[in-house]
Amino acid sequence: MKHSEIRQTIIETASNLFYEQGYNSTGINEIIATAGIAKATLYNHFRSKEEICLAYLQYMNDSFLAGIRKFYLTKSTGQAQIIALFDFLLGFFQESDFNGCWCINTISEIPKDNQLIRNEIQLQKKHLIGVINNLVQNTFLNKSVGEIDLIARQIYLLYESAVAESHLHQENWPILAARKLCLQLLQFEAAAIPAS
């Protein structure tokens, strides 16, 4: 197996274990055994469990952003693409391995002073806000940069709460409620008179 393939196998194995069991509950030896590699092989690719965690977060985020973009691009430009974010989440929730947000799960397990992992998670959340911001900008051409940013952050908060609460309750009603609130927000903003 090529160097890059071994690295990817470690990342995917660790990602499945971290997401399913939690970061702290998954040991290095379990990753090694599940991946079917030698300990030396793992340490040739990653110096620490923290490095594996960063690779896991990046892998999950890359997969998520690619999936959500592919999904919303199947919808008409405008409000339909924004609402598609919640439809994508509904599909994600319905998957058998849904375990909430990998970022929030991880941040709840690391020490408060672990700035490396915290920075990565904050960066990923900024990327999501950026995706939403672009969709809002394409929907409301007459809004100011500040107005677009505020709307995007409001939608982001609806989305994040839907992820967390659907995971907590193991039901889809938080996603459906957040979707409805988002639609109401978009309709309100569409009807609002532009500031002169």
Side-chain angles (χ1 to χ4, degrees), residues 79-80 82-83 86 155 158 177-189:
Q79 292 188 19
I82 297 172
I83 293 301
F86 296 90
I155 294 168
L158 288 172
R179 184 187 191 279
K180 185 173 182 180
L181 284 169
C182 182
L183 190 55
Q184 290 171 348
L185 171 66
L186 295 174
Q187 289 169 345
F188 172 81
E189 292 295 343

Side-chain angles (χ1 to χ4, degrees), residues 41-169:
T41 302
L42 183 135
Y43 285 110
N44 279 339
H45 292 80
F46 299 97
R47 289 175 295 178
S48 65
K49 187 179 175 186
E50 184 180 66
E51 275 193 9
I52 300 171
C53 184
L54 287 171
Y56 152 65
L57 292 169
Q58 290 159 2
Y59 169 75
M60 294 292 283
N61 191 57
D62 290 347
S63 299
F64 167 73
L65 290 177
I68 205 165
R69 184 175 190 278
K70 184 178 178 183
F71 186 83
Y72 73 66
L73 285 176
T74 65
K75 311 299 178 189
S76 304
T77 305
Q79 292 188 19
Q81 288 191 348
I82 297 172
I83 293 301
L85 301 175
F86 296 90
D87 296 334
F88 179 84
L89 177 56
L90 193 59
F92 182 33
F93 171 80
Q94 291 166 345
E95 292 178 8
S96 59
D97 63 347
F98 176 75
N99 200 23
C101 174
W102 57 92
C103 288
I104 300 304
N105 294 347
T106 304
I107 202 79
S108 69
E109 293 192 71
I110 64 164
K112 191 175 181 180
D113 62 354
N114 189 324
Q115 210 54 50
L116 193 64
I117 291 177
R118 183 175 299 277
N119 287 347
E120 176 61 33
I121 289 170
Q122 288 175 345
L123 181 65
Q124 291 188 12
K125 296 303 183 181
K126 285 177 185 171
H127 285 163
L128 178 56
I129 293 170
V131 168
I132 299 169
N133 192 293
N134 287 337
L135 294 175
V136 172
Q137 195 172 6
N138 292 338
T139 303
F140 299 108
L141 302 177
N142 61 339
K143 301 281 186 189
S144 70
V145 171
E147 289 170 322
I148 287 167
D149 186 59
L150 178 59
I151 296 166
R153 288 175 187 273
Q154 290 170 330
I155 294 168
Y156 164 78
L157 289 175
L158 288 172
Y159 185 90
E160 288 294 316
S161 65
V163 175
E165 293 301 310
S166 61
H167 180 221
L168 170 66
H169 294 284

